[in-house]
Amino acid sequence: MKRLALSIIVVSLLVVSCSKGSITEVVKQHIEALDDVDRANVVIIMPEKTTFKGDQNPVAASVVLYTKLGSDLTTNRKKVEGVQKIVLKAVEGLKVENIVILDSSGNILNDFEDMAEMDNVSVIEKEQKLIHKQEVVYRAKVWNALQQTFGNDRVGDLYIKIDIDRITVSVNIDGTWKKKYDENGNLIITPSGAIEREYIPVSKEDLETATLLVQNAIGYDRSRGDNVSVVCIQFDRNEQFEKEDEAYRRQQQKRQWSIAGMRRQ
């Protein structure tokens, strides 16, 4: 538990200047550093700000825990609450009710709703809370299913809405980029010094697989009007590619310096 408390403190200090992607990685690393955890899948959702506050989707987070053999984490409330605190401290604007922690079988571990507190709210508010909670759960399950197949950075713009009994889901999946090589096996470099790449869209078969994964995650039922849409959208990779190109240029420069040094000898 001392390591858990230290992780909460360290996370609080590290996240101040982090981007969403790096916050996710920081949280993942600290959860995986816990004695009970073998692996964790962390998703942080920070929706775009809307003009009207009533239309604003909340900040949400989900964690899927893969525990070590013999661990009691999934049945130990204090340990689950500790994991929850790590996530809560890391993400600005995140509320406890928008955090879902699941085990590897998809069971919710942090469902600590105080029934006495629930009794004090109206029927409509109670129903809205339950619907919102279920949307967060579905979001976590969909993210986990898709990211295990397509990777952490190819799944985006996930939308889930429960309207009465009907569930609507839409999600975008990015294709892949392939670096281009000449007949000698060397990378092709553009006149501007960038690595030449070719975009490969998500295949029809992979989109069908993704659709099936989403349907399984939400318990899809056509008869109640559920709707699942999975499409291929090319994500903006300019910043990522600029970093890769710069790293390649530095590598080539070091190689040239090394060759020049050997010739002088």
Side-chain angles (χ1 to χ4, degrees):
M1 295 302 288
K2 287 183 179 179
R3 178 177 293 185
L4 178 58
L6 181 60
S7 290
I8 294 171
I9 295 171
V10 173
V11 166
S12 300
L13 295 173
L14 287 176
V15 299
V16 176
S17 60
C18 287
S19 65
K20 184 182 78 170
S22 54
I23 289 174
T24 301
E25 191 58 33
V26 166
V27 173
K28 176 180 167 67
Q29 289 175 0
H30 279 80
I31 292 176
E32 290 183 339
L34 301 177
D35 293 334
D36 295 274
V37 180
D38 180 50
R39 182 165 59 90
N41 183 14
V42 178
V43 174
I44 296 172
I45 302 168
M46 295 176 138
E48 296 291 332
K49 291 189 179 296
T50 59
T51 304
F52 301 102
K53 189 175 181 180
D55 296 331
Q56 180 67 51
N57 290 321
V59 177
S62 66
V63 179
V64 181
L65 297 173
Y66 299 84
T67 55
K68 293 179 180 177
L69 187 64
S71 166
D72 68 340
L73 190 154
T74 58
T75 57
N76 189 318
R77 174 166 177 162
K78 286 189 176 180
K79 289 183 178 180
V80 175
E81 286 178 335
V83 174
Q84 185 171 268
K85 287 178 182 177
I86 291 177
V87 183
L88 191 62
K89 288 286 186 181
V91 185
E92 184 179 357
L94 180 63
K95 296 180 179 179
V96 171
E97 59 264 30
N98 295 324
I99 302 174
V100 173
I101 301 175
L102 308 172
D103 65 15
S104 57
S105 299
N107 301 308
I108 304 175
L109 303 179
N110 66 324
D111 192 5
F112 307 135
E113 191 71 62
D114 187 341
M115 296 312 294
E117 181 181 333
M118 284 289 283
D119 288 340
N120 292 328
V121 301
S122 69
V123 174
I124 294 177
E125 288 176 315
K126 187 184 298 186
E127 184 176 299
Q128 289 175 339
K129 277 178 173 284
L130 292 174
I131 288 174
H132 175 65
K133 187 73 171 181
Q134 192 59 51
E135 287 175 347
V136 175
V137 171
Y138 283 147
R139 187 176 290 113
K141 290 184 176 181
V142 169
W143 274 111
N144 187 50
L146 292 179
Q147 289 189 343
Q148 286 191 60
T149 301
F150 297 96
N152 292 337
D153 66 340
R154 291 179 58 199
V155 182
D157 302 320
L158 172 61
Y159 170 84
I160 294 180
K161 181 67 176 177
I162 299 176
D163 184 10
I164 307 178
D165 292 325
R166 182 178 60 187
I167 305 171
T168 301
V169 182
S170 64
V171 61
N172 298 331
I173 299 179
D174 193 10
T176 57
W177 286 89
K178 182 180 178 182
K179 294 176 181 177
K180 300 181 73 172
Y181 295 83
D182 61 23
E183 61 275 8
N184 297 318
N186 300 313
L187 283 170
I188 298 176
I189 306 300
T190 66
S192 63
I195 298 171
E196 192 167 326
R197 299 171 175 86
E198 177 186 4
Y199 183 72
I200 304 172
V202 182
S203 67
K204 179 182 177 182
E205 292 76 16
D206 282 346
L207 287 177
E208 290 174 351
T209 298
T211 300
L212 185 59
L213 288 171
V214 174
Q215 289 176 341
N216 289 338
I218 66 170
Y220 176 81
D221 186 345
R222 178 184 293 179
S223 65
R224 69 186 174 197
D226 290 353
N227 182 39
V228 172
S229 172
V230 182
V231 297
C232 173
I233 296 292
Q234 184 175 325
F235 295 175
D236 183 358
R237 302 281 180 180
N238 287 334
E239 185 176 347
Q240 173 190 336
F241 291 162
E242 285 174 5
K243 290 179 180 179
E244 290 178 2
D245 293 344
E246 180 59 30
Y248 174 77
R249 286 191 289 268
R250 287 199 301 267
Q251 183 184 43
Q252 292 300 107
Q253 193 173 49
K254 287 180 181 178
R255 183 181 177 186
Q256 291 173 359
W257 289 344
S258 177
I259 294 174
M262 291 176 64
R263 287 175 177 172
R264 284 197 294 269
Q265 292 177 0

